[in-house]
Amino acid sequence: MDDFAANEPADPMEEEPAPELSLSQVLDDVDRFLETLSETKYNFNPPEVPNSVESFLTIVEKNLAKCDSKNQEKDLSFYECLIRISRLTSLFSGFKTHPLIATPLNRSSSALHHSMSLLDSEFRTILESGIHNQNQNNSSDPKTPKASKQPPFGTHQHENSDRGGVQEEEFPAYSLVSISKMNRIATAMISLGYEKECCMAYNMIRNDVFNHELDKLGLTHTSIEDVQRMQWENLEGEITAWIDILSRCYSVLFSREMKLCNSIFSEYPSVSKRLFSDVAFAVTTRFLNFAEAVALTKQSAEKLFKFLDMYETLTEMIPVIDTTNHPRDLKGDICAAKSLLGEAAVSIFSDLEYSIRRDHTRTPVPSGAVHPLTRYTMNYLKYACEYKDTLEQVFLDHQKMEEGNAGAGKCNQPDGEITEDANEDGKPKTSPFSMQLNIIIDLLDENLEMKSKFYRDPALRYVFLMNNGRYILQKIKGSTETNHTIGANWCKKRTTDLRQYHKGYTRESWSILLQCLSHAGLLVHGKVVKHVLKERFKMFNSMLDEIHKTQSTWIVTDKQLQSELRVSISAVVIPAYRSFLGRFQQCLSGGRQTEKYVKYQPEDIEKLIDELSRY
């Protein structure tokens, strides 16, 4: 404009126009006026508004009008002007009824509102670029897309600075330039009274960005109804994804979000804390809604371990929540979801007890083998005991809840520790989970005892009890967690029971055979009654053949039990037969008669016994 005016011919009759003020002069005059205005008490006549204020508002309005232009005045500071516009609006408001103030008040108020709208628009645009940059998978140095509206007075002189030493890789969706811009915008909006609008934009968009990231990771949007209708195979896959994504969320994404929030709102820590909490609360609620929906599905034994996996994942979140000092009761919500999963786990586990009670099948397992119920129950318990610490806590909380303890399910145990009261003798009480485990195994014992009575052969009954008893004992001893939970006393009792079953089997099978080798009735007045002796040999041969034929179909799967049976049977039968044979064989006529009645030699019997114990 100065160049254009210098080329015009002067009109001697026309008044010389006032020289145009520079921005620095305008700002200096505006500052002096603001000081004077601030010292003028309300309800008194305000000082006259100087031309410099009019010029300042005109400059601001012009630049706001052409805020989309690329040819902006680089020497003007938008944020410095904003501060003065805000102060003018605030001080003018004290004289808003005065006719001299109405016009400049309307102009400054309109300029301030327009400026905040532009900042809000740019703030939202940069925040929304997070979704765009995530889609591009450019985590090294994503570029911020051009904003729909640029600040009307150019860029800040420090926009490329690294604020607070933040490393670029911490914000894969935003460049450092973007972080710096959002920081200046947020600081300006909050300091000038637009905190609500700034926070609303941040919450809404960061929730969208976060949910977009979770969608990319595979977290689906499922309602309670969807979960209820889902087949277990599909739901199991959803739970696995839920666990993986939640773990990543709390180990990586939340940490990154907190740093982002702290960087953007570095001048307002309390705002940063609240905003991060709001985002974390909204995201976590999505996870918790799914967990609660899963806990409410129809219960079945196969679901227990996935429920416990979810329970453990939520437990691992608690320390993270504690370190972030959420002002909202996020920890309480997590504990409520944990409680639902825990109660569902207790109910599912307890169903195993009811299923054993209800098992009244009367058909015996062929050959005295390990019963399917035994295999299923013990393998289930073994797997369950891999979650021993978790189930201890779950059943302890359940016990407190049943006893009416108001603190149950409130995460009142630090770091998930389990505290057990002591008995009068100072020894720790048996934990609720250990008690439940013992109840189930005792019920299994009773059920097996009942099933053993369906065998007609008493010896086979004891083989069945030995097989199942040994299987139970080996499963318990083979798992450190199960063995520790059940306790050494139970194992000692079970070992004693197995010895009794072993004795019962020997008595019902081999002791009867040994009666054939009794000397009673063989001697009359010191002489051997040959026909009785012959009958004894015939009876022994017949019974041994029958035992071999019958027991060849029986099953003893445990190698150690096979060896114990072989040793014990041989130790009882072979010495007795060898002694009987050595004493009475010569009483038979030699040749064909001996071959007719003495069918087996001790070595033959040992071979037969060895064959039986290999099944």
Side-chain angles (χ1 to χ4, degrees):
M1 292 179 62
D2 291 339
D3 292 339
F4 177 78
N7 294 326
E8 288 291 324
D11 186 349
M13 301 299 294
E14 187 174 310
E15 183 179 349
E16 183 82 11
E20 188 172 316
L21 297 176
S22 66
L23 178 63
S24 59
Q25 290 176 316
V26 170
L27 292 181
D28 288 341
D29 287 349
V30 170
D31 288 340
R32 282 192 291 271
F33 174 71
L34 285 170
E35 185 176 354
T36 301
L37 190 62
S38 65
E39 293 174 353
T40 303
K41 294 184 178 180
Y42 292 172
N43 301 323
F44 286 85
N45 289 330
E48 183 178 353
V49 179
N51 291 333
S52 59
V53 172
E54 298 285 342
S55 300
F56 172 68
L57 291 174
T58 300
I59 292 172
V60 170
E61 289 166 348
K62 286 181 178 180
N63 282 279
L64 288 173
K66 61 176 184 178
C67 63
D68 287 328
S69 173
K70 295 181 180 179
N71 300 317
Q72 298 172 10
E73 298 179 62
K74 302 298 183 181
D75 62 327
L76 298 180
S77 173
F78 175 57
Y79 295 99
E80 291 180 5
C81 291
L82 269 183
I83 294 173
R84 290 168 174 82
I85 295 172
S86 177
R87 288 196 66 197
L88 282 172
T89 303
S90 177
L91 292 173
F92 279 155
S93 297
F95 305 97
K96 58 185 177 182
T97 59
H98 198 283
L100 295 178
I101 298 299
T103 298
L105 172 60
N106 288 337
R107 292 181 67 188
S108 66
S109 177
S110 176
L112 179 63
H113 180 72
H114 191 179
S115 299
M116 290 299 106
S117 295
L118 292 175
L119 287 182
D120 182 77
S121 177
E122 184 178 20
F123 191 61
R124 289 172 180 268
T125 299
I126 300 175
L127 282 172
E128 288 171 347
S129 72
I131 297 178
H132 170 79
N133 291 330
Q134 285 171 358
N135 286 336
Q136 296 299 317
N137 291 320
N138 186 3
S139 61
S140 59
D141 184 17
K143 301 299 187 293
T144 305
K146 180 182 176 182
S148 59
K149 290 185 180 290
Q150 298 290 341
F153 297 99
T155 57
H156 192 277
Q157 59 180 342
H158 301 301
E159 76 173 14
N160 292 316
S161 63
D162 184 352
R163 299 186 58 84
V166 177
Q167 297 300 313
E168 192 159 351
E169 59 267 20
E170 292 178 348
F171 311 116
Y174 302 102
S175 68
L176 293 180
V177 172
S178 298
I179 301 289
S180 180
K181 285 182 179 179
M182 288 190 288
N183 175 268
R184 291 195 306 276
I185 293 173
T187 300
M189 292 185 70
I190 295 174
S191 64
L192 299 179
Y194 284 76
E195 176 181 334
K196 179 179 178 181
E197 290 78 1
C198 182
C199 293
M200 185 181 300
Y202 186 89
N203 265 338
M204 181 182 70
I205 296 172
R206 284 310 299 170
N207 279 336
D208 288 344
V209 172
F210 221 115
N211 281 322
H212 180 77
E213 177 71 11
L214 297 180
D215 292 342
K216 280 177 56 183
L217 291 173
L219 185 66
T220 58
H221 291 271
T222 50
S223 65
I224 294 179
E225 293 75 17
D226 293 334
V227 173
Q228 295 288 333
R229 290 192 296 265
M230 201 174 293
Q231 294 294 322
W232 172 242
E233 292 76 13
N234 297 329
L235 181 56
E236 191 174 18
E238 294 291 331
I239 292 173
T240 299
W242 180 92
I243 292 171
D244 292 341
I245 298 169
L246 181 56
S247 297
R248 173 172 171 76
C249 191
Y250 266 76
S251 63
V252 178
L253 300 184
F254 273 2
S255 175
R256 185 183 295 165
E257 183 70 21
M258 182 184 293
K259 291 176 181 177
L260 175 66
C261 199
N262 289 340
S263 297
I264 294 176
F265 299 93
S266 59
E267 307 300 322
Y268 297 94
S270 61
V271 174
S272 172
K273 180 179 179 180
R274 186 182 74 250
L275 287 175
F276 171 73
S277 175
D278 289 343
V279 172
F281 187 87
V283 172
T284 304
T285 297
R286 181 176 169 184
F287 285 101
L288 297 183
N289 287 342
F290 178 80
E292 292 172 359
V294 170
L296 296 175
T297 59
K298 185 178 180 180
Q299 296 169 2
S300 62
E302 61 188 352
K303 296 182 180 181
L304 173 66
F305 306 110
K306 281 299 181 184
F307 279 28
L308 294 176
D309 287 338
M310 296 179 74
Y311 183 96
E312 290 179 346
T313 304
L314 292 177
T315 300
E316 292 169 359
M317 290 168 56
I318 303 291
V320 180
I321 294 298
D322 288 339
T323 58
T324 55
N325 297 317
H326 286 270
R328 303 181 70 165
D329 190 19
L330 192 55
K331 182 177 177 180
D333 292 334
I334 294 173
C335 290
K338 273 183 58 181
S339 181
L340 278 177
L341 287 168
E343 285 302 298
V346 168
S347 181
I348 291 173
F349 197 87
S350 299
D351 281 344
L352 182 60
E353 173 186 337
Y354 303 137
S355 66
I356 296 173
R357 292 183 187 275
R358 293 192 298 265
D359 190 318
H360 300 302
T361 54
R362 302 179 65 86
T363 303
V365 177
S367 307
V370 177
H371 199 281
L373 178 63
T374 305
R375 292 186 183 277
Y376 176 81
T377 301
M378 294 312 301
N379 283 300
Y380 196 85
L381 294 183
K382 179 179 180 295
Y383 194 15
C385 284
E386 293 181 10
Y387 294 83
K388 174 180 175 294
D389 292 341
T390 300
L391 283 168
E392 292 279 15
Q393 187 64 60
V394 164
F395 274 88
L396 185 63
D397 288 343
H398 175 72
Q399 183 185 60
K400 290 179 179 179
M401 191 174 296
E402 284 195 327
E403 293 172 353
N405 188 330
K410 300 298 183 182
C411 296
N412 52 355
Q413 296 295 342
D415 300 324
E417 290 182 5
I418 301 171
T419 57
E420 296 178 346
D421 297 330
N423 292 311
E424 293 181 358
D425 58 4
K427 295 181 180 179
K429 289 183 177 179
T430 304
S431 71
F433 174 59
S434 178
M435 292 172 60
Q436 180 66 33
L437 213 61
N438 278 276
I439 289 172
I440 289 176
I441 294 180
D442 288 345
L443 283 172
L444 179 61
D445 279 342
E446 293 176 9
N447 190 287
L448 294 172
E449 183 71 30
M450 179 267 295
K451 285 177 167 45
S452 72
K453 296 177 180 178
F454 299 139
Y455 291 99
R456 295 180 179 180
D457 190 326
L460 182 55
R461 173 191 175 193
Y462 286 111
V463 169
F464 172 78
L465 291 173
M466 278 192 293
N467 275 325
N468 285 269
R470 178 58 67 96
Y471 185 88
I472 294 171
L473 185 61
Q474 293 302 100
K475 281 294 181 180
I476 292 174
K477 285 186 174 182
S479 167
T480 303
E481 293 80 8
T482 311
N483 194 15
H484 182 267
T485 306
I486 292 296
N489 289 336
W490 186 93
C491 291
K492 290 179 181 178
K493 179 183 181 299
R494 168 57 58 181
T495 302
T496 300
D497 292 340
L498 284 174
R499 283 198 294 266
Q500 295 302 317
Y501 298 151
H502 193 149
K503 290 180 180 178
Y505 162 73
T506 303
R507 182 180 64 250
E508 295 295 340
S509 184
W510 299 98
S511 294
I512 297 175
L513 177 65
L514 291 178
Q515 292 177 8
C516 299
L517 306 179
S518 172
H519 293 185
L522 279 177
L523 299 173
V524 177
H525 304 299
K527 293 183 179 182
V528 176
V529 182
K530 289 188 177 182
H531 74 276
V532 176
L533 178 61
K534 293 176 182 178
E535 190 63 30
R536 291 287 179 86
F537 273 111
K538 287 173 62 177
M539 186 180 301
F540 179 87
N541 295 335
S542 176
M543 290 184 65
L544 182 59
D545 289 341
E546 183 62 28
I547 290 174
H548 183 266
K549 177 183 176 181
T550 301
Q551 297 193 17
S552 291
T553 63
W554 296 358
I555 294 176
V556 178
T557 54
D558 184 81
K559 298 298 183 183
Q560 183 179 347
L561 181 57
Q562 288 180 10
S563 177
E564 291 174 0
L565 288 172
R566 181 172 61 249
V567 171
S568 64
I569 294 169
S570 297
V572 171
V573 176
I574 294 176
Y577 183 72
R578 181 178 282 114
S579 175
F580 187 84
L581 187 62
R583 180 170 181 181
F584 297 108
Q585 183 177 10
Q586 68 273 18
C587 298
L588 298 173
S589 300
R592 297 176 66 181
Q593 190 178 58
T594 301
E595 294 177 0
K596 180 179 179 180
Y597 295 105
V598 182
K599 185 177 180 179
Y600 296 105
Q601 293 298 314
E603 295 77 14
D604 299 327
I605 298 176
E606 188 170 4
K607 182 179 179 181
L608 291 177
I609 293 172
D610 187 56
E611 289 176 355
L612 291 179
S613 61
R614 289 178 182 173
Y615 289 96

